[in-house]
PDB file of all heavy atoms in Angstrom:
ATOM      1  N   VAL B 132     -10.167  28.786  -2.825  1.00 94.00           N
ATOM      2  CA  VAL B 132     -11.245  27.788  -2.491  1.00 94.00           C
ATOM      3  C   VAL B 132     -11.915  28.296  -1.257  1.00 94.00           C
ATOM      4  O   VAL B 132     -11.216  28.544  -0.246  1.00 94.00           O
ATOM      5  CB  VAL B 132     -10.599  26.383  -2.091  1.00 94.00           C
ATOM      6  CG1 VAL B 132     -11.550  25.353  -1.620  1.00 94.00           C
ATOM      7  CG2 VAL B 132      -9.866  25.849  -3.496  1.00 94.00           C
ATOM      8  N   ASP B 146     -27.203  16.142  12.260  1.00 98.00           N
ATOM      9  CA  ASP B 146     -26.561  16.101  11.005  1.00 98.00           C
ATOM     10  C   ASP B 146     -25.963  17.438  10.656  1.00 98.00           C
ATOM     11  O   ASP B 146     -26.525  18.540  11.029  1.00 98.00           O
ATOM     12  CB  ASP B 146     -27.693  15.797   9.816  1.00 98.00           C
ATOM     13  CG  ASP B 146     -28.276  14.444   9.997  1.00 98.00           C
ATOM     14  OD1 ASP B 146     -27.786  13.631  10.823  1.00 98.00           O
ATOM     15  OD2 ASP B 146     -29.379  14.152   9.294  1.00 98.00           O
ATOM     16  N   ASP B 152     -16.450  25.627  -2.183  1.00 96.00           N
ATOM     17  CA  ASP B 152     -16.642  26.154  -3.501  1.00 96.00           C
ATOM     18  C   ASP B 152     -15.145  26.118  -3.939  1.00 96.00           C
ATOM     19  O   ASP B 152     -14.355  26.841  -3.617  1.00 96.00           O
ATOM     20  CB  ASP B 152     -17.024  27.671  -3.301  1.00 96.00           C
ATOM     21  CG  ASP B 152     -18.614  27.738  -3.355  1.00 96.00           C
ATOM     22  OD1 ASP B 152     -19.094  27.629  -4.476  1.00 96.00           O
ATOM     23  OD2 ASP B 152     -19.097  28.121  -2.352  1.00 96.00           O
ATOM     24  N   SER B 155     -12.798  28.291  -9.748  1.00 91.00           N
ATOM     25  CA  SER B 155     -13.400  28.215 -11.011  1.00 91.00           C
ATOM     26  C   SER B 155     -12.473  27.536 -12.104  1.00 91.00           C
ATOM     27  O   SER B 155     -11.416  27.842 -12.153  1.00 91.00           O
ATOM     28  CB  SER B 155     -13.963  29.671 -11.590  1.00 91.00           C
ATOM     29  OG  SER B 155     -14.534  29.445 -12.779  1.00 91.00           O
ATOM     30  N   ARG B 166      -7.635  15.774  12.179  1.00 91.00           N
ATOM     31  CA  ARG B 166      -7.906  15.839  13.634  1.00 91.00           C
ATOM     32  C   ARG B 166      -6.764  16.485  14.312  1.00 91.00           C
ATOM     33  O   ARG B 166      -5.778  16.604  13.802  1.00 91.00           O
ATOM     34  CB  ARG B 166      -7.906  14.260  14.131  1.00 91.00           C
ATOM     35  CG  ARG B 166      -9.229  13.620  13.671  1.00 91.00           C
ATOM     36  CD  ARG B 166      -9.450  12.396  14.468  1.00 91.00           C
ATOM     37  NE  ARG B 166     -10.773  11.747  14.293  1.00 91.00           N
ATOM     38  CZ  ARG B 166     -11.142  10.610  13.724  1.00 91.00           C
ATOM     39  NH1 ARG B 166      -9.960   9.879  13.320  1.00 91.00           N
ATOM     40  NH2 ARG B 166     -12.189  10.230  13.716  1.00 91.00           N
ATOM     41  N   GLY B 168      -3.753  17.883  15.968  1.00 78.00           N
ATOM     42  CA  GLY B 168      -2.346  17.403  16.030  1.00 78.00           C
ATOM     43  C   GLY B 168      -1.977  16.271  15.101  1.00 78.00           C
ATOM     44  O   GLY B 168      -0.966  15.632  15.337  1.00 78.00           O
ATOM     45  N   SER B 186     -12.823   5.741  -1.019  1.00 82.00           N
ATOM     46  CA  SER B 186     -12.365   4.797   0.023  1.00 82.00           C
ATOM     47  C   SER B 186     -12.053   5.407   1.418  1.00 82.00           C
ATOM     48  O   SER B 186     -12.107   4.645   2.339  1.00 82.00           O
ATOM     49  CB  SER B 186     -11.082   4.212  -0.582  1.00 82.00           C
ATOM     50  OG  SER B 186     -10.127   5.247  -0.751  1.00 82.00           O
ATOM     51  N   GLN B 211     -21.000  12.203  15.756  1.00 97.00           N
ATOM     52  CA  GLN B 211     -20.361  11.562  16.874  1.00 97.00           C
ATOM     53  C   GLN B 211     -19.193  12.476  17.347  1.00 97.00           C
ATOM     54  O   GLN B 211     -18.662  13.163  16.480  1.00 97.00           O
ATOM     55  CB  GLN B 211     -19.864  10.197  16.697  1.00 97.00           C
ATOM     56  CG  GLN B 211     -21.002   9.239  16.088  1.00 97.00           C
ATOM     57  CD  GLN B 211     -22.017   9.037  17.203  1.00 97.00           C
ATOM     58  OE1 GLN B 211     -21.722   8.651  18.357  1.00 97.00           O
ATOM     59  NE2 GLN B 211     -23.267   9.173  16.706  1.00 97.00           N
ATOM     60  N   TYR B 229      -1.399  19.145 -10.203  1.00 69.00           N
ATOM     61  CA  TYR B 229      -0.571  20.197 -10.368  1.00 69.00           C
ATOM     62  C   TYR B 229      -0.392  20.943  -8.895  1.00 69.00           C
ATOM     63  O   TYR B 229       0.133  22.136  -8.806  1.00 69.00           O
ATOM     64  CB  TYR B 229      -1.220  21.368 -11.230  1.00 69.00           C
ATOM     65  CG  TYR B 229      -1.185  20.801 -12.741  1.00 69.00           C
ATOM     66  CD1 TYR B 229      -2.357  20.321 -13.266  1.00 69.00           C
ATOM     67  CD2 TYR B 229      -0.053  20.889 -13.500  1.00 69.00           C
ATOM     68  CE1 TYR B 229      -2.381  19.806 -14.552  1.00 69.00           C
ATOM     69  CE2 TYR B 229      -0.054  20.414 -14.822  1.00 69.00           C
ATOM     70  CZ  TYR B 229      -1.189  19.883 -15.302  1.00 69.00           C
ATOM     71  OH  TYR B 229      -1.213  19.313 -16.604  1.00 69.00           O
TER      72      TYR B 229
END
Side-chain angles (χ1 to χ4, degrees):
Chain B
V132 178
D146 298 351
D152 273 289
S155 179
R166 290 194 166 114
S186 63
Q211 304 294 313
Y229 295 98

